[in-house]
Amino acid sequence: MASGPMEQFKIDRDVDLFEIAGQTVSWTNSAFWMVMSVVLIIGFFALTLRGKLIPGRMQSLGELSYQFIADMVRDTVGPEAMRFMPFIFTLFFFILFANLIGMNPYAFTTTSHLAVTLAMATATILIVIIAGLWKNGLSWFKIFAPGGLPLVMYPIIVLIEVISFLARPITLAVRLFANMVAGHVMLKLFAIFAAYLVAQGGLTSLGAVVPVLGTIFIVALEFLVALLQAFVFAILTCVYLNDVYHVDH
Amino acid sequence: MAAEETYTDAELAADAASGLPQLDTSTWVGQIFWLFLTFAILYFALSKFILPRLRDTLGNRSDRIADDLDSASRMKLEAEEAEKAHEQSLRDARAKASNVAESTRQSLDAEIRAELDEADAQAERESELAEARIRDIKTAALSNIDAVAVDVAGTLVNELTGKTIAPAKVTAALKGARS
């Protein structure tokens, strides 16, 4: 078993497959858990598709998930953004399942990798830009220049708006990545410390109770963070989608 | 124990040397490839199969609820109308009954009045006839009185004087006496 706190994030290449842009694409532990999360999500929702007029427990879960995301999109953007609802839904459940899978011992947290979170965040922002240009044409760029300001202010405001817009994918990616890494590193450190204390033997090993309690607390906290970060990513995507439909702030 | 610790230390040193696995960009293309592939499959499955069915189920339910509420309010309306119609027919029947009573009373009144009038007229006619007859009898009696008076006067004269007097003379005398 991995012993360093960063060891858990190591990507193991099992089978090298082919090359893209000079890099080898391999079947890895990360790829396995991504496929697993997709299988689990599809399996979970397949169980909820009873289509009964009076829903059972599983069906209620599926319907609650649907309504949760649908309400989120409607409330933060508006009913016109419902075409993006499947994307937000996929995003939320992909991140949620990846985070929750990561809570299992020996499983790999795919969302603890900057490549993954940055790719998702960049794709999200690209979708916002493309949809914004598609819907509003070049007048979409008005989001960088809010109306009703003195003319001298515009260079500064536009600069600030552009920087804050470009910061979005980075903050979105780093928020999720850092949360997942920090939680897992903390868990690992507490567990290593507990094992270290037990290994000392004698009275010192009794002190392991403290890091074990800390581990339990962090596990509970991490389940909350897993849910919260998926929610934050999804709702921020909705907020950014606002720029597609409401160009005048 | 010591060996274990040095192993751990060595591992930590190796980690520190290679840095965070996340920053090893040689794995990035592979991760992004698998991310896009799995995400695309998930998006396809959710948006083509799962979400439409969930939406349909939810839509059917809200439709059904709306329908049920609609038909409930429609039935309520119908019930209210039926009640109104029932009350109306009751009111009509009552009005009709009182109409019938009224008209019966009126026609009875009219009949009674007519019969009373008839009886009055009959009585009047009969009393007139009686009065006429009385008048006739009276005039007849009065006209007989002259003849009787002439007769009585003749007889009286005959008895008192032993003479016979002509009735015409008596009559003339009576006429003179009367006027």
Side-chain angles (χ1 to χ4, degrees), chain B residues 98-120:
Chain B
S98 70
N99 262 354
V100 168
E102 179 71 12
S103 62
T104 311
R105 202 160 52 77
Q106 275 176 359
S107 68
L108 277 177
D109 276 0
E111 224 170 287
I112 289 166
R113 215 175 301 118
E115 278 184 14
L116 276 175
D117 286 354
E118 178 81 1
D120 279 357

Side-chain angles (χ1 to χ4, degrees), chain A residues 80-162:
Chain A
E80 65 270 29
M82 280 309 275
R83 54 182 310 191
F84 286 107
M85 189 266 182
F87 176 69
I88 309 282
F89 195 93
T90 312
L91 209 51
F92 178 80
F93 279 96
F94 189 85
I95 296 170
L96 179 67
F97 272 65
N99 294 352
L100 289 179
I101 283 171
M103 289 308 296
N104 292 291
Y106 302 105
F108 183 85
T109 319
T110 53
T111 43
S112 68
H113 269 260
L114 195 54
V116 170
T117 61
L118 202 57
M120 281 196 290
T122 309
T124 301
I125 297 300
L126 280 178
I127 284 171
V128 169
I129 293 172
I130 290 164
L133 287 173
W134 186 279
K135 197 175 168 292
N136 306 294
L138 287 178
S139 67
W140 176 73
F141 285 106
K142 270 193 271 180
I143 62 157
F144 298 116
L149 282 174
L151 215 61
V152 277
M153 294 285 283
Y154 272 107
I156 310 161
I157 291 294
V158 169
L159 189 68
I160 291 170
E161 289 281 340
V162 169

Side-chain angles (χ1 to χ4, degrees), chain B residues 27-104:
Chain B
T27 63
W28 279 36
V29 169
Q31 285 192 71
I32 292 167
F33 167 80
W34 289 112
L35 170 70
F36 282 176
L37 185 70
T38 51
F39 196 92
I41 291 167
L42 182 62
Y43 180 82
F44 179 76
L46 288 176
S47 64
K48 285 278 171 286
F49 300 106
I50 286 160
L51 293 179
R53 286 184 60 183
L54 281 173
R55 192 179 51 229
D56 287 351
T57 310
L58 288 168
N60 284 344
R61 182 171 315 132
S62 59
D63 281 359
R64 175 72 184 270
I65 289 168
D67 278 0
D68 285 359
L69 284 177
D70 269 6
S71 59
S73 65
R74 205 175 48 240
M75 279 174 191
K76 195 179 161 225
L77 224 72
E78 274 169 16
E80 274 169 7
E81 265 164 26
E83 202 196 334
K84 243 180 252 165
H86 176 68
E87 271 174 12
Q88 184 64 43
S89 69
L90 262 180
R91 221 175 300 127
D92 284 354
R94 220 173 284 133
K96 211 170 164 190
S98 70
N99 262 354
V100 168
E102 179 71 12
S103 62
T104 311

Side-chain angles (χ1 to χ4, degrees), chain A residues 13 23 26 53 63 112-113, chain B residues 22 25-26 34 61 64:
Chain A
R13 291 175 187 274
Q23 283 195 8
S26 320
L53 199 60
E63 287 171 4
S112 68
H113 269 260
Chain B
Q22 283 90 340
T25 49
S26 71
W34 289 112
R61 182 171 315 132
R64 175 72 184 270

